[in-house]
Amino acid sequence: MNALAATNRNFQLAARILGLDSKLHKSLLIPFREIKVECTVPRDDGSFVSYIGFRIQHDNARGPMKGGIRYHPEVDPDEVNALAQLMTWKTAVANLPYGGAKGGIGCNPRELTVSELQRVTRVFTQKIHDLIGIHRDVPAPDMGTNSQTMAWILDEYSKFHGYSPAVVTGKPIELGGSLGREAATGLGVVFATEFLLDEYGMSIANMKFAIQGFGNVGSWAASFIHQKGGKVVAVSDITGAVKNPNGIDIPALLKHKEKAYSLKDFEGGDAMDLNDVLVHECDVLIPCALGGVLNKENAADVKAKFIIEAANHPTDPEADEILSRKGVTILPDIYANSGGVTVSYFEWVQNIQGFMWEEEKVNYELKRYMKRAFNDIKAMCHTHNCNLRMGAFTLGVNKVARATVLRVGKHDNQSFFCS
């Protein structure tokens, strides 16, 4: 099942639980705007190459639309549509005054030079500049993009609209980026893990973790877990995988990767198959890479008692059902990885106010927002007698539905309102 079908399925279940009116149901599902543009740029060798860029703006009932831009060969309209919809529910779950959006270019950034990436980014920005904006749609980094990408977008957008630092988040600090933004998603994952484990009378200390994906999110999550006394017993990324039953020295692994650009040949652990990390012996599994990695083929072999979805849509619906029957507790992506968009919101607020925060304040507010969201999810689980995924989806969908109805105005059919 692709990402769009899976996201729609979760929405349909949440809508059924909430008893949404059919008209409202349809309104919430249809994207506000779908943008598709052609980006042709010269390569360094003088040849030309063309890519397709997408921006899906899903919903703006609760505020400006918000979402990342990813550069990846597999970017397509269905994936971007699903991720835009997820952002709508995610920002509502986190109680941020945003709607959802997502964008991407179907290219492989590893095959492009820095100057070629800059040209692609600037052309893409030229094509969409009049459809994004501080109070309209605020992009951010995603897979294959980073703070430098956002700096190029900011500069190109500002040529048309004047200097506008709040038009993107995840920027370099020197251009108005927020302290703590780089670590935010990983730190948020760890906060979410702490809140969940606390419900079971457990803590991170001495528990065994397996982390699939060792990019920005996975490496920061591993670092914080290591600092809190947790044992990271298996780690993988596209370059390799490492295991150590006594716990991997994460600072040493980070130094090794920085030097070797790979997890291979790390002396502090044994090499293992990339796919085995997902079914490795551990207490907590944290998938931090692509979607759909947990599926009907491997779900039955998962040994973790808890899964923290740091990636977007890492668990297929078929795997969800298998894992639920096994008694595995899953903390869903629309909550677990919301630390990044939460601190992006803080960055946006700082840019608009022209007043920057200390990192201590950023992290304090992040923990406060994530704790409140966790409590709200638990309340929905209690109200509707559902699992954490449906608790999060019903929370997000309900907030967006109520905002939509309140903006539209009074309706004779009171069932248009959700409970």
Side-chain angles (χ1 to χ4, degrees):
M1 184 178 292
N2 67 32
L4 180 59
T7 302
N8 286 345
R9 176 181 181 273
N10 288 325
F11 169 80
Q12 303 286 3
L13 289 172
R16 194 178 308 143
I17 290 170
L18 292 167
L20 290 191
D21 175 90
S22 60
K23 297 186 292 293
L24 180 57
H25 179 286
K26 184 177 181 180
S27 172
L28 293 179
L29 204 55
I30 298 173
F32 172 78
R33 181 185 286 129
E34 297 186 5
I35 305 159
K36 179 180 179 181
V37 297
E38 171 262 343
C39 301
T40 299
V41 296
R43 299 289 299 262
D44 289 348
D45 63 7
S47 64
F48 283 82
V49 62
S50 293
Y51 300 109
I52 303 297
F54 302 96
R55 187 69 178 172
I56 308 295
Q57 298 172 332
H58 180 256
D59 190 279
N60 63 355
R62 301 183 64 255
M65 292 165 283
K66 187 85 184 75
I69 292 178
R70 56 175 50 188
Y71 291 177
H72 192 274
E74 296 179 11
V75 166
D76 63 51
D78 277 357
E79 180 198 46
V80 177
N81 201 323
L83 295 174
Q85 187 187 144
L86 271 178
M87 282 299 298
T88 296
W89 317 136
K90 182 186 296 185
T91 52
V93 167
N95 203 28
L96 308 177
Y98 285 142
K102 207 74 173 185
I105 298 176
C107 69
N108 187 346
R110 294 173 178 271
E111 295 178 353
L112 299 175
T113 66
V114 172
S115 59
E116 289 168 345
L117 281 170
Q118 179 172 181
R119 287 194 285 272
V120 170
T121 302
R122 289 184 182 276
V123 168
F124 183 53
T125 307
Q126 291 165 15
K127 297 291 182 75
I128 68 169
H129 76 88
D130 55 344
L131 298 171
I132 61 174
I134 296 169
H135 300 295
R136 178 176 287 180
D137 179 2
V138 184
D142 203 290
M143 187 183 302
T145 59
N146 54 28
S147 60
Q148 178 60 75
T149 317
M150 297 304 106
W152 292 330
I153 294 175
L154 165 60
D155 183 63
E156 197 65 29
Y157 179 88
S158 296
K159 292 176 183 178
F160 296 93
H161 303 277
Y163 185 59
S164 311
V167 73
V168 290
T169 58
K171 302 179 294 294
I173 300 297
E174 297 85 350
L175 294 177
S178 176
L179 295 172
R181 174 61 184 87
E182 183 182 354
T185 307
L187 181 57
V189 166
V190 174
F191 285 152
T193 304
E194 285 184 311
F195 301 148
L196 179 63
L197 293 178
D198 187 60
E199 292 291 302
Y200 293 84
M202 303 175 183
S203 66
I204 286 176
N206 296 316
M207 293 197 78
K208 294 182 177 180
F209 294 79
I211 298 178
Q212 188 251 355
F214 202 62
N216 177 269
V217 178
S219 60
W220 279 108
S223 296
F224 291 123
I225 288 167
H226 184 78
Q227 290 173 20
K228 292 176 179 291
K231 291 185 178 181
V232 180
V233 296
V235 167
S236 72
D237 67 8
I238 58 173
T239 67
V242 179
K243 63 180 178 180
N244 186 332
N246 298 316
I248 297 168
D249 184 339
I250 297 299
L253 182 60
L254 287 167
K255 287 180 181 177
H256 172 81
K257 186 178 179 183
E258 184 179 359
K259 185 177 180 180
Y261 300 102
S262 172
L263 297 185
K264 289 181 179 178
D265 302 321
F266 177 62
E267 296 180 355
D270 299 320
M272 63 184 297
D273 186 274
L274 294 178
N275 297 320
D276 289 345
V277 170
L278 295 165
V279 296
H280 194 67
E281 187 73 46
C282 65
D283 300 306
V284 183
L285 171 64
I286 309 181
C288 301
L290 289 171
V293 294
L294 291 170
N295 49 56
K296 62 182 179 182
E297 307 298 331
N298 60 12
D301 298 321
V302 169
K303 299 174 181 65
K305 304 175 187 69
F306 302 94
I307 295 174
I308 313 296
E309 293 187 334
N312 286 317
H313 177 60
T315 312
D316 278 350
E318 296 94 335
D320 225 346
E321 293 176 7
I322 294 169
L323 292 164
S324 294
R325 289 197 296 269
K326 281 165 60 77
V328 178
T329 300
I330 301 175
L331 198 58
D333 51 1
I334 62 169
Y335 167 68
N337 65 27
S338 64
V341 70
T342 301
V343 175
S344 278
Y345 165 62
F346 299 161
E347 180 178 332
W348 181 74
V349 168
Q350 293 170 74
N351 292 157
I352 290 173
Q353 292 181 334
F355 182 82
M356 306 309 288
W357 300 355
E358 297 295 332
E359 188 168 358
E360 183 180 4
K361 176 177 173 61
V362 172
N363 293 340
Y364 170 82
E365 292 294 335
L366 172 60
K367 187 170 186 177
R368 187 172 71 85
Y369 268 69
M370 295 209 68
K371 179 62 174 177
R372 180 178 60 187
F374 184 76
N375 290 337
D376 290 344
I377 292 170
K378 282 197 307 176
M380 293 300 276
C381 290
H382 178 75
T383 299
H384 299 291
N385 191 28
C386 58
N387 62 20
L388 288 166
R389 189 180 306 285
M390 278 302 104
F393 265 88
T394 53
L395 174 63
V397 171
N398 191 51
K399 284 187 176 182
V400 178
R402 293 190 66 82
T404 300
V405 172
L406 289 167
R407 289 186 63 164
V408 169
K410 183 179 178 182
H411 286 264
D412 293 334
N413 181 3
Q414 291 301 307
S415 66
F416 198 76
F417 281 90
C418 47
S419 59

